[in-house]
Amino acid sequence: MSASRSETASAPVPDGSGAGPASTAVPEPGGDLLAALLDGMDAALCAFDADGVVTHWNREAERILGWPAEEAVGRRGFAGWAVRPADADEVQGRLMAVMDAPGRQVHEFALLKKDGGRVLVRTQSAGVRGADGAPAGVYCAFSEVHAQIDLERSIALSEALFEDGSWGVVLVDVDLRPTVVNTYAARALGTARATLLGRPLGELIVQGVEDLEGALQHVLSEGAPASPAEVWVTLRTAEGERRRCWRSGFLRLSSPLAEEPVPLGVGWLFQDVTDARLAEQDADRLRFRSNQLHRASRTAAECEDPMEAATTHLDYALAGFADHALVDLAVGERLVRAAATPAGAPGPAAPVAGGGIPVRYPAGHPALQAVDRIGSVRDSAGAAGEAWAAERQWPPDAAHALCAVLRSRGRTLGVLTFLRGPSRPAFERPDAAYAESVAVRVAAAVDLARVLGG
């Protein structure tokens, strides 16, 4: 607004038909500041004195309706220029009625643009009091209804995301610290919403925080990625560590008030897809293992030597499953090593040269437990390291073991042991089921070898 707009607020108006004042008054103190404030507003604003004469008209009002301040200030009401004659009395009455009422009132009006078009606006108006407390006029802020509805939708969407969203929503600042966290995200992270605010993500995420923070930093510097990404993390919770998979999308947040984009942080939206991904992994693993058993059976069927068929089953079983395999056969009251993979490096299983030697397993050895239970036994080194493997007479790089009993025709023929190194996870229950399937096939081959060998 130019200084003349605030000047006309105190200038006398000869009648309601003119487009503006006939004379110029001396600028009031602070008039330039008031004009700058009004013109800097995002909302359109106009004001009326107690007689309904327009005293202020800012640039946003000019943008929406097309009427410049020079043609708007000094007119009495909107009649004859900004509203249709049929609507003028109703609009004027509703606007001026707020002068004597407390608080603000919201109305919707159809106003006329200078080019003759019509625009539906939503107004918020309130009375203005003079120095003596008496009603002195009305101010009215207005905006196009569709713009207001868009704003309300944006606010409603934000509130819904931060309260009832089915996705986790976290806003992080440029220091990668959470500033706003919704209910879903707090539940997924295993803590309260307020507890997360301002804390480094590394306090809650044991593993995977580097990947997550790297993604956030990339968004701050380069912008949002084209598609969602899946991030595996391990969380530190009161119940212990939990491994989770989050399907994540990222948005760079910039201030809408700055001329140049100023990053405010990153909006991180995610959904926990751990169960679905684990189910997919289990299905892929089962498919692969079933295929390996099928291939091993077809290859073993072509072997003339039953012991070669037994080691063939081991070679196929080791792929993606274990690092070493040992076959100990029962000879009287002892277990004798019959076949094994190389101890120093990965390689194919082969019968022990010279017919094998008895193994002196101590009492409570997992292999002996498997024989006693007629079932599978799992064991891991934990913090014991190489001493654990040495005590059990296994290769020094072994850290996890799975022993499955060899049974055929109702008899125990020995024990099949699979070993994994420290870089691999411990054997789990699905692994034991697979090892038992392999043991059934190995036991049948060993039994045939004994029958043919007398």
Side-chain angles (χ1 to χ4, degrees):
M1 179 191 293
S2 64
S4 62
R5 301 182 206 176
S6 58
E7 293 162 9
T8 57
S10 58
V13 180
D15 56 52
S17 61
S23 61
T24 302
V26 177
E28 298 176 359
D32 290 340
L33 175 60
L34 176 60
L37 290 173
L38 292 178
D39 282 342
M41 294 178 61
D42 292 330
L45 184 137
C46 64
F48 305 88
D49 64 13
D51 296 324
V53 176
V54 178
T55 60
H56 296 82
W57 189 267
N58 72 350
R59 288 181 181 172
E60 184 64 11
E62 179 179 341
R63 186 194 68 79
I64 293 176
L65 295 180
W67 294 97
E70 291 77 10
E71 298 182 39
V73 173
R75 290 181 181 270
R76 188 180 300 278
F78 288 149
W81 61 289
V83 296
R84 295 188 310 172
D87 300 331
D89 292 341
E90 179 189 0
V91 171
Q92 189 72 3
R94 291 168 70 180
L95 284 176
M96 299 308 295
V98 75
M99 186 167 57
D100 298 316
R104 294 181 301 171
Q105 293 186 9
V106 178
H107 301 288
E108 289 186 1
F109 300 126
L111 299 183
L112 290 178
K113 302 170 69 172
K114 187 175 182 180
D115 61 8
R118 299 180 70 195
V119 58
L120 184 64
V121 301
R122 178 172 296 176
T123 67
Q124 293 189 45
S125 54
V128 177
R129 300 286 175 176
D132 58 356
V138 172
Y139 81 83
C140 173
F142 63 91
S143 61
E144 296 176 83
V145 166
H146 71 82
Q148 183 70 21
I149 292 176
D150 288 344
L151 175 62
E152 292 178 2
R153 284 177 180 149
S154 298
I155 295 173
L157 174 61
S158 298
E159 292 181 350
L161 285 175
F162 286 115
E163 295 298 333
D164 307 318
S166 58
W167 282 70
V169 181
V170 179
L171 302 188
V172 298
D173 59 19
V174 293
D175 296 322
L176 307 186
R177 296 173 183 260
T179 58
V180 183
V181 181
N182 78 340
T183 304
Y184 183 107
R187 187 168 57 249
L189 289 162
T191 186
R193 294 174 66 177
T195 306
L196 287 169
L197 303 184
R199 295 176 57 187
L201 294 171
E203 292 186 8
L204 295 172
I205 302 176
V206 180
Q207 296 178 356
V209 67
E210 297 86 0
D211 296 335
L212 180 56
E213 289 185 341
L216 294 172
Q217 290 171 345
H218 174 80
V219 173
L220 280 173
S221 60
E222 303 294 336
S227 59
E230 292 187 358
V231 181
W232 281 93
V233 299
T234 300
L235 298 176
R236 181 186 292 113
T237 66
E239 295 78 20
E241 295 184 355
R242 291 190 304 145
R243 185 159 174 77
R244 313 304 295 169
C245 180
W246 292 332
R247 183 170 177 80
S248 304
F250 303 93
L251 299 170
R252 181 165 61 181
L253 306 178
S254 300
S255 172
L257 303 179
E259 293 184 5
E260 297 294 331
V262 177
L264 296 179
V266 177
W268 169 33
L269 292 81
F270 69 92
Q271 191 170 39
D272 194 319
V273 294
T274 308
D275 294 341
R277 295 298 169 266
L278 291 178
E280 291 176 1
Q281 291 179 4
D282 289 344
D284 292 341
R285 186 182 301 113
L286 180 60
R287 190 181 303 110
F288 173 76
R289 290 177 178 178
S290 298
N291 188 47
Q292 288 296 95
L293 289 175
H294 175 71
R295 295 175 60 197
S297 297
R298 293 193 60 177
T299 304
E302 303 300 323
C303 297
E304 295 185 5
D305 181 2
M307 285 307 296
E308 182 184 356
T311 57
T312 296
H313 282 291
L314 296 181
D315 291 336
Y316 278 95
L318 285 171
F321 181 68
D323 298 316
H324 299 288
L326 311 174
V327 176
D328 300 323
L329 299 182
V331 179
E333 298 296 326
R334 299 175 301 174
L335 289 175
V336 175
R337 179 67 43 80
T341 53
V352 174
I357 57 175
V359 289
R360 299 182 179 276
Y361 288 150
H365 191 280
L368 299 179
Q369 293 183 40
V371 171
D372 292 339
R373 298 178 185 178
I374 312 180
S376 58
V377 175
R378 290 173 285 155
D379 195 10
S380 291
E386 292 187 5
W388 175 84
E391 291 174 358
R392 289 159 179 75
Q393 301 182 37
W394 287 333
D397 60 342
H400 310 289
L402 173 55
C403 298
V405 67
L406 298 174
R407 297 275 297 176
S408 179
R409 294 190 294 165
R411 297 176 300 160
T412 298
L413 304 183
V415 179
L416 169 60
T417 300
F418 289 106
L419 301 171
R420 287 177 177 172
S423 62
R424 306 185 69 165
F427 289 101
E428 297 179 351
R429 184 169 298 177
D431 298 324
Y434 179 59
E436 291 169 359
S437 298
V438 176
V440 168
R441 290 161 171 78
V442 172
V446 168
D447 194 13
L448 178 60
R450 284 187 171 183
V451 170
L452 296 178

